[in-house]
Amino acid sequence: MQKYEGAMDRGLEGVVACSTAVSSIIDATLFYRGFTIEDLAAHSSFEEVIFLLWNNRLPDKEELQVLQQNLLSNMSFSDAEILQLKALPVKEVHPMAWLRTAISVLALLDPKSQSTQKEDQLFIRNALTGKMLSLVALFNCLRQGRDLLPIQKEYSMAWNFLNCLQGEEPTEEQTKVFDTCLILHADHSLNCSTFTARVTASSLSDMYSSIVSAIGALKGPLHGGANEEVLKTLKDIGSVDNVEAWLKNALANKYKIMGFGHRVYKNGDPRAKVLKSMSQSLCEKSGNAHLFEMSNLLESLMKKEKNILPNVDFYSATVYYSLGITSDLFTPIFAASRISGWLAHILEQWEDNRIYRPKGQWRGKAGQLWKPFDQR
Ligand code: COA
């Protein structure tokens, strides 16, 4: 039996799996196409960031308007799509599982889903990016027994999502905060779900399948699922007075504290810093100041005890909660933003494709022989 003697990097930590020009993390700074995340969060819009991720440059005014109108058109569903989506169960179903299935349903209804023509793929890219946000809102409407409100083309994707989700018009501040969240989550180099999307795409499977794979990867609590878990943690802790004792017990039991730690950022996640200031102001305004105080204390105790800092999921939980969003929708919202990055990566993968096929280091028994039942 030949044994592979090469180096093994658990979790592929030290492995460079491909080259990419979509986003990068250099010295704890996150760049989308060379622009810092702080610059984009302060000045850009989600639609503009999508243009940037897909085209490797900022749009002019007209280009942005064209893309925005296209994405807004794609936020609506056809009658056939609504009919099939309404048939999916929503009670006691996690919205990430529903979303994963919903994308598969949309694939079945798209006669071009298997096309390898670039033009069709770009059409699907735009359609999926528009529809993902609406799917999250639709799930919420279906479980509340409401219809999705019509898309209003004079407003942004963020505004329309919040309007459809809550059934009432969001304020300018709520829209701006949510838009910033969408910008912050749009891409993040070779994170687990993006790598998953690229791996599926590398077999020359279709765009829908790559997105379904990515949703499955994002769903886990060690990746995108952490934001929902953060709110559960804060509710478990209950009050500021209980934070220290709760953390002591959790660390003594070797629990992973959700929303903390990162494979790449060891000195802090730049997205968490932007989210923290939004969380503070929103928590105070929405009567959730105690949640921010608990989060802040947890952050300083985690730093003191373990020198581990918050990641993007930590403060996004209280931001979404303060916007009145139900916690099981936090990860689907992450997916609805990250899909813009996933699609940029899938197309980049196809530009210079080679199938991903790493090796596994053998650690099983060798020389096994099959035996009939009476000899086992
Ligand atoms: N809470 C407690 N301890 C943590 C921790 C956390 N959130 N994150 C890392 N650690 C500890 C590990 O227990 C390990 O300690 P050890 O060396 O004593 O065993 C050490 O820090 C290194 O952690 P490791 O799990 O090897 O890091 P990783 O790079 O494999 O994993 C994460 C990175 C993000 C998966 C991990 O930090 C984690 O599980 N965080 C919580 C989930 C989360 O917030 N995910 C969202 C990421 S954006």
Side-chain angles (χ1 to χ4, degrees):
M1 174 74 51
Q2 195 196 353
K3 201 171 164 195
Y4 176 61
E5 299 290 355
M8 184 175 71
D9 291 270
R10 286 186 71 236
L12 303 181
E13 180 164 5
V15 175
V16 176
C18 66
S19 71
T20 177
V22 184
S23 66
S24 57
I25 302 165
I26 301 168
D27 297 334
T29 302
L30 170 60
F31 298 89
Y32 294 168
R33 300 282 188 190
F35 293 80
T36 69
I37 193 67
E38 291 84 359
D39 192 14
L40 295 170
H43 305 293
S44 194
S45 66
F46 182 46
E47 290 86 337
E48 188 174 60
V49 163
I50 295 174
F51 187 101
L52 174 66
L53 289 172
W54 291 352
N55 298 284
N56 199 10
R57 63 176 175 84
L58 290 172
D60 65 30
K61 220 172 171 177
E62 201 189 321
E63 286 171 324
L64 178 58
Q65 223 164 21
V66 169
L67 179 67
Q68 184 165 28
Q69 289 309 306
N70 182 300
L71 293 170
L72 287 167
S73 303
N74 278 308
M75 284 183 81
S76 301
F77 298 103
S78 69
D79 291 346
E81 287 168 341
I82 283 286
L83 190 71
Q84 296 302 327
L85 292 168
K86 275 187 170 175
L88 298 176
V90 286
K91 288 229 164 78
E92 291 174 38
V93 163
H94 194 281
M96 279 300 274
W98 187 91
L99 195 59
R100 191 190 57 214
T101 307
I103 296 295
S104 293
V105 167
L106 294 182
L108 297 182
L109 295 171
D110 180 353
K112 299 221 166 132
S113 68
Q114 306 304 307
S115 173
T116 52
Q117 297 297 310
K118 185 79 183 255
E119 194 189 325
D120 295 332
Q121 290 170 345
L122 296 185
F123 187 87
I124 294 170
R125 175 193 69 180
N126 292 15
L128 279 178
T129 306
K131 286 191 200 306
M132 278 283 269
L133 268 172
S134 287
L135 282 172
V136 181
L138 178 66
F139 176 86
N140 201 43
C141 288
L142 291 177
R143 71 178 171 183
Q144 291 178 349
R146 291 189 282 121
D147 280 330
L148 204 59
L149 291 171
I151 296 302
Q152 298 193 33
K153 297 255 186 94
E154 63 279 26
Y155 291 107
S156 65
M157 293 174 83
W159 186 96
N160 274 289
F161 169 74
L162 291 173
N163 187 43
C164 289
L165 184 83
Q166 324 269 37
E168 62 185 53
E169 297 192 1
T171 64
E172 209 171 300
E173 189 195 5
Q174 288 168 333
T175 308
K176 171 73 188 145
V177 165
F178 189 72
D179 194 64
T180 306
C181 290
L182 293 176
I183 293 173
L184 293 175
H185 287 84
D187 199 45
H188 204 220
S189 72
L190 276 208
N191 60 87
C192 179
S193 56
T194 302
F195 184 52
T196 304
R198 288 187 79 129
V199 169
T200 302
S202 81
S203 76
L204 298 185
S205 185
D206 62 288
M207 227 169 212
Y208 286 94
S209 301
S210 303
I211 296 301
V212 169
S213 310
I215 293 173
L218 188 75
K219 183 172 175 286
L222 296 189
H223 189 13
N227 54 13
E228 181 181 351
E229 297 299 318
V230 169
L231 201 75
K232 280 191 199 147
T233 300
L234 294 175
K235 295 220 159 157
D236 262 9
I237 298 174
S239 70
V240 180
D241 294 344
N242 207 19
V243 172
E244 197 161 355
W246 182 93
L247 183 64
K248 213 171 171 182
N249 178 55
L251 294 179
N253 284 296
K254 302 224 168 292
Y255 294 155
K256 284 270 172 80
I257 314 303
M258 292 294 133
F260 282 90
H262 203 275
R263 172 65 60 80
V264 183
Y265 303 116
K266 299 300 177 196
N267 296 314
D269 181 332
R271 302 163 301 173
K273 290 174 197 139
V274 182
L275 286 158
K276 183 175 181 178
S277 69
M278 297 199 298
S279 165
Q280 177 164 22
S281 123
L282 277 173
C283 281
E284 280 163 9
K285 284 183 195 157
S286 62
N288 294 307
H290 65 292
L291 289 180
F292 179 78
E293 272 178 60
M294 283 161 66
S295 307
N296 199 29
L297 182 56
L298 202 54
E299 177 183 345
S300 46
L301 292 173
M302 270 296 275
K303 182 160 171 41
K304 195 169 127 208
E305 296 293 325
K306 301 275 294 178
N307 199 26
I308 296 179
L309 300 167
N311 57 49
V312 69
D313 294 309
F314 190 60
Y315 285 106
S316 62
T318 39
V319 167
Y320 292 147
Y321 185 75
S322 300
L323 287 174
I325 298 174
T326 324
S327 64
D328 64 358
L329 298 178
F330 295 176
T331 316
I333 288 169
F334 189 159
S337 161
R338 182 59 57 87
I339 192 171
S340 56
W342 291 336
L343 289 160
H345 279 273
I346 292 166
L347 286 164
E348 184 179 68
Q349 180 65 35
W350 284 337
E351 273 168 25
D352 183 24
N353 189 58
R354 188 165 188 226
I355 191 167
Y356 287 100
R357 205 314 185 180
K359 287 181 175 174
Q361 198 174 65
W362 173 250
R363 60 175 174 81
K365 279 190 206 167
Q368 298 275 66
L369 285 179
W370 184 89
K371 290 174 190 157
F373 283 122
D374 61 354
Q375 291 172 33
R376 287 177 198 175

